[in-house]
Amino acid sequence: GAVVSQHPSRVICKSGTSVKIECRSLDFQATTMFWYRQFPKQSLMLMATSNEGSKATYEQGVEKDKFLINHASLTLSTLTVTSAHPEDSSFYICSARGLAGSTDTQYFGPGTRLTVL
Amino acid sequence: AQSVTQPDIHITVSEGASLELRCNYSYGATPYLFWYVQSPGQGLQLLLKYFSGDTLVQGIKGFEAEFKRSQSSFNLRKPSVHWSDAAEYFCAVGGRLNDYKLSFGAGTTVTVRA
């Protein structure tokens, strides 16, 4: 139980285009989803918190107009990187917290590797 | 503010030997503590967690961790490592004070030699 999926696993795009990443909780309802960014050989940096049916809360320094988050249902959250630039290249990981036995535990997706050319 | 320190950036251990990864945290109340493992290019897998109760917690893959409030520590241990334990290990702290947002340590890379 408590499986979280992400799609796509890898994406390469041209500078200036937008990319959408999906995060799904497969076997539980996620009241909250989190989006992280991880640079090579570094730890995870929380970008935003997404609650179903409400606006996402962004961490300091994260541009909300660049990283659009939608949490349309209890099993799906999306992150759209708008007007992507090479510096947006990174590993993006989502996690979900919900009713899978414990509301206090985050379960992580496998991550999405974004490369912007 | 909440934070986690993992003092060891890289640890090399022989297969079959014991492993201990250190984690120190800062949190303004009773913390929720987690250990996650990450293989290259993969997401994070939960190894174990501590919320309350017995301070020695057992996790998956033969790992255990001990919560020591007096030392603000939550060290991870495994009696005998396997080559498949080579990975990146992250300690994290969270709780009600910050709406369960997690703060991660910098991670410890574990290399297992034959």
Side-chain angles (χ1 to χ4, degrees):
Chain A
V3 178
V4 177
S5 70
Q6 276 184 248
H7 178 79
S9 57
R10 289 178 177 271
V11 58
I12 300 173
C13 69
K14 293 182 179 180
S15 186
T17 61
S18 295
V19 173
K20 179 185 284 188
I21 302 170
E22 293 186 348
C23 177
R24 293 181 185 271
S25 55
L26 298 185
D27 51 2
F28 67 103
Q29 293 183 321
T31 53
T32 306
M33 288 184 171
F34 302 88
W35 287 95
Y36 295 84
R37 185 172 180 176
Q38 185 180 31
F39 291 103
K41 305 292 186 183
Q42 294 189 26
S43 188
L44 281 74
M45 181 192 78
L46 179 65
M47 298 175 66
T49 303
S50 166
N51 291 296
E52 186 267 338
S54 62
K55 290 184 177 180
T57 304
Y58 292 80
E59 296 299 302
Q60 191 171 7
V62 178
E63 299 176 60
K64 62 180 181 181
D65 294 330
K66 180 167 187 62
F67 298 100
L68 301 179
I69 291 172
N70 183 275
H71 194 156
S73 75
L74 284 173
T75 60
L76 173 65
S77 176
T78 60
L79 168 68
T80 301
V81 183
T82 63
S83 187
H85 290 154
E87 56 265 33
D88 299 324
S89 299
S90 191
F91 193 54
Y92 292 88
I93 307 177
C94 72
S95 71
R97 173 168 72 85
L99 307 175
S102 170
T103 60
D104 304 321
T105 300
Q106 292 185 30
Y107 297 93
F108 285 80
T112 296
R113 173 77 58 194
L114 171 63
T115 302
V116 184
L117 302 177
Chain B
Q2 60 189 53
S3 65
V4 173
T5 301
Q6 292 181 245
D8 305 303
I9 297 174
H10 192 178
I11 287 180
T12 299
V13 62
S14 297
E15 191 169 16
S18 64
L19 173 69
E20 181 168 15
L21 304 181
R22 295 182 291 166
C23 171
N24 292 98
Y25 69 89
S26 174
Y27 192 74
T30 300
Y32 290 8
L33 294 160
F34 306 82
W35 274 101
Y36 290 90
V37 61
Q38 183 181 36
S39 297
Q42 302 294 316
L44 275 66
Q45 181 181 23
L46 179 67
L47 285 177
L48 48 78
K49 60 187 178 183
Y50 171 79
F51 290 166
S52 64
D54 193 346
T55 56
L56 184 64
V57 293
Q58 302 296 321
I60 62 171
K61 303 185 179 185
F63 285 93
E64 66 177 26
E66 186 171 12
F67 170 60
K68 293 186 178 180
R69 184 187 300 275
S70 62
Q71 299 177 20
S72 297
S73 69
F74 188 57
N75 295 347
L76 182 72
R77 296 191 293 259
K78 183 168 184 177
S80 176
V81 299
H82 186 261
W83 63 266
S84 60
D85 293 323
E88 187 82 12
Y89 292 79
F90 292 98
C91 180
V93 66
R96 297 175 188 273
L97 288 184
N98 199 19
D99 199 27
Y100 303 105
K101 293 179 183 179
L102 293 181
S103 294
F104 285 85
T108 298
T109 302
V110 172
T111 298
V112 180
R113 59 180 175 225

